[in-house]
Amino acid sequence: MSVDLSTTYLGMNLANPVVVSACPMSAELDQLQRLEEAGVSAAVFPSLFEEQIEHEGDELSRVYDFHTDSFAESLTYFPDQKDFHTGPGEYLETIAAAKKAVRIPIIASLNGSSHGGWIRYAKMMQDAGADALELNIYFVAADPDMTGRGVESRYLELVSAVKESISIPLAVKIGPYFSAMANMGVQLSDAGADGLVLFNRFFQPDIDLETLEARPQLHLSTPSELMIPLRWIAILHGRIRASLAASGGIHDATGLVKILLAGADVGMIASVLYRKGVAEAGRILADLRHWLEDHEYESVEQLKGSMSLENSPDPTAFQRGNYMKTLTSYVGKDI
Ligand SMILES: Cc1cc2nc3c(=O)[nH]c(=O)nc-3n(C[C@H](O)[C@H](O)[C@H](O)COP(=O)(O)O)c2cc1C
């Protein structure tokens, strides 16, 4: 039996649901070609950051001054000028080069948090040939005077502004820390997001006890992180116009199958590629095909969302259900 692995994401027909998540590997053209050979159906470029764009206009020091007046936290949040390796011009050139080097769709990534001139790069990425744009909104609401409603408005205004400036599809990548996550998903979709990428990882600062400096750490993910996107994708599937991408903790076909059952249109992978190499994408795809064959599914479409909150035999499992029972029945078997 031949299984149909195709899926749709952001209105694009993709050969299968394995997409490279935003990371530097996608913008290394030799790696990108190897990823395409391994079978991935699309790749998200690493982000071009708001700060990089402001820096290009020699405005970084102004941004620094503005923010350091506002929050002590921003002293560590903003990277040093020397940390910017790739300028915006080079970023756009790499999109154009990638479009010549591979046939899979290229999704550019713009990363920021404030409404400003940097969002003009959305259109420039489109003009450079990007098939779609992922807007990663990474905002740390450190101001005690800022309300949850204020944070939500900030996200929605940014999404509307970027959406107005482009005609290619727009995905919005966010973190999971909203008090009304499902409603925020609906609002983002209504504001113009054609897709949601769930979730962005917040790199939490740690304290170095020798230097007494606070430093964000980049750790590769573990499969247990999948449970956060799994819950929210299951909750949102079928109840929102935007398509859904899962990011965080997909390390093998098992994770991919689970996230598709929950209702994702695609599963994005990054850490597993860094840990095991580019060829792992091919293994995940082969294992997905075998799983579908073994369980007599004809297509990925048939699988998608069949365990979502709407379709699950026990929808309460994605909400508060079993919470108390899980805690009280624990017998310490891991000790
Ligand atoms: C080395 C590395 C660089 C990354 N760079 C970006 C980035 O530029 N923009 C972005 O939105 N996410 C970035 N991410 C986050 C990934 O796209 C992804 O959301 C996250 O790693 C969770 O997926 P995973 O469990 O498959 O790694 C990066 C991740 C890694 C490991």
Side-chain angles (χ1 to χ4, degrees):
M1 184 179 73
S2 117
V3 181
D4 179 1
L5 295 186
S6 66
T7 186
T8 51
Y9 175 56
L10 302 174
M12 300 186 291
N13 296 319
L14 300 181
N16 64 67
V18 178
V19 171
V20 184
S21 204
C23 67
M25 211 180 263
S26 327
E28 298 286 338
L29 296 191
D30 54 335
Q31 301 267 46
L32 182 63
Q33 283 170 326
R34 290 183 55 220
L35 284 161
E36 181 179 49
E37 281 160 24
V40 303
S41 64
V44 186
F45 255 38
S47 298
L48 179 64
F49 295 85
E50 173 181 350
E51 293 84 356
Q52 275 172 291
I53 297 166
E54 299 292 346
H55 171 50
E56 185 203 36
D58 240 348
E59 290 192 39
L60 189 66
S61 52
R62 187 183 57 74
V63 175
Y64 255 114
D65 292 345
F66 171 74
H67 283 278
T68 49
D69 283 350
S70 312
F71 312 117
E73 177 235 26
S74 64
L75 284 168
T76 50
Y77 176 75
F78 282 101
D80 289 339
Q81 296 201 18
K82 64 177 166 44
D83 291 339
F84 295 127
H85 302 299
T86 311
E90 199 181 322
Y91 188 98
L92 298 174
E93 283 165 19
T94 312
I95 293 177
K99 284 302 296 171
K100 289 196 183 118
V102 294
R103 302 225 306 251
I104 54 171
I106 296 296
I107 303 171
S109 169
L110 198 53
N111 191 319
S113 69
S114 65
H115 199 315
W118 63 278
I119 65 170
R120 70 188 184 282
Y121 270 83
K123 172 78 164 54
M124 290 159 90
M125 288 171 170
Q126 170 179 308
D127 294 344
D131 297 282
L133 176 71
E134 187 174 291
L135 175 66
N136 179 334
I137 309 179
Y138 189 113
F139 177 62
V140 180
D143 181 350
D145 291 330
M146 178 164 253
T147 62
R149 172 55 66 194
V151 173
E152 290 185 1
S153 301
R154 189 180 175 115
Y155 275 67
L156 298 171
E157 282 163 22
L158 194 48
V159 170
S160 302
V162 171
K163 178 70 180 173
E164 271 171 30
S165 70
I166 55 174
S167 54
I168 53 175
L170 174 66
V172 177
K173 187 175 185 180
I174 51 169
Y177 306 120
F178 288 93
S179 47
M181 181 60 230
N183 175 261
M184 190 60 195
V186 172
Q187 288 193 76
L188 287 165
S189 178
D190 290 347
D194 300 295
L196 298 181
V197 183
L198 308 178
F199 288 105
N200 196 2
R201 280 176 101 211
F202 279 78
F203 295 110
Q204 310 294 359
D206 195 0
I207 294 177
D208 184 320
L209 291 183
E210 294 309 315
T211 61
L212 292 185
E213 285 176 320
R215 292 216 189 99
Q217 309 280 319
L218 195 163
H219 295 293
L220 296 179
S221 71
T222 61
S224 64
E225 290 178 38
L226 182 74
M227 300 312 139
I228 304 174
L230 186 85
R231 162 178 279 181
W232 288 108
I233 284 176
I235 288 174
L236 285 170
H237 175 83
R239 303 161 90 195
I240 182 171
R241 184 191 50 81
S243 49
L244 297 170
S247 173
I250 302 175
H251 284 236
D252 51 26
T254 309
L256 181 62
V257 168
K258 287 181 186 175
I259 212 78
L260 293 169
L261 284 166
D265 296 295
V266 294
M268 293 187 169
I269 53 172
S271 291
V272 69
L273 298 173
Y274 282 93
R275 200 165 268 142
K276 295 191 175 164
V278 163
E280 196 61 20
R283 279 190 280 275
I284 293 175
L285 266 173
D287 290 349
L288 170 67
R289 187 182 293 280
H290 289 142
W291 192 93
L292 290 165
E293 284 168 358
D294 289 350
H295 293 81
E296 298 181 354
Y297 281 90
E298 287 171 10
S299 66
V300 161
E301 282 303 329
Q302 196 187 0
L303 185 73
K304 268 202 252 178
S306 52
M307 284 290 292
S308 69
L309 182 126
E310 275 191 335
N311 299 328
S312 168
D314 178 15
T316 62
F318 294 111
Q319 301 169 65
R320 203 183 144 92
N322 297 338
Y323 169 56
M324 190 184 80
K325 195 169 151 219
T326 309
L327 293 181
T328 53
S329 62
Y330 185 68
V331 289
K333 59 183 179 293
D334 291 345
I335 296 171

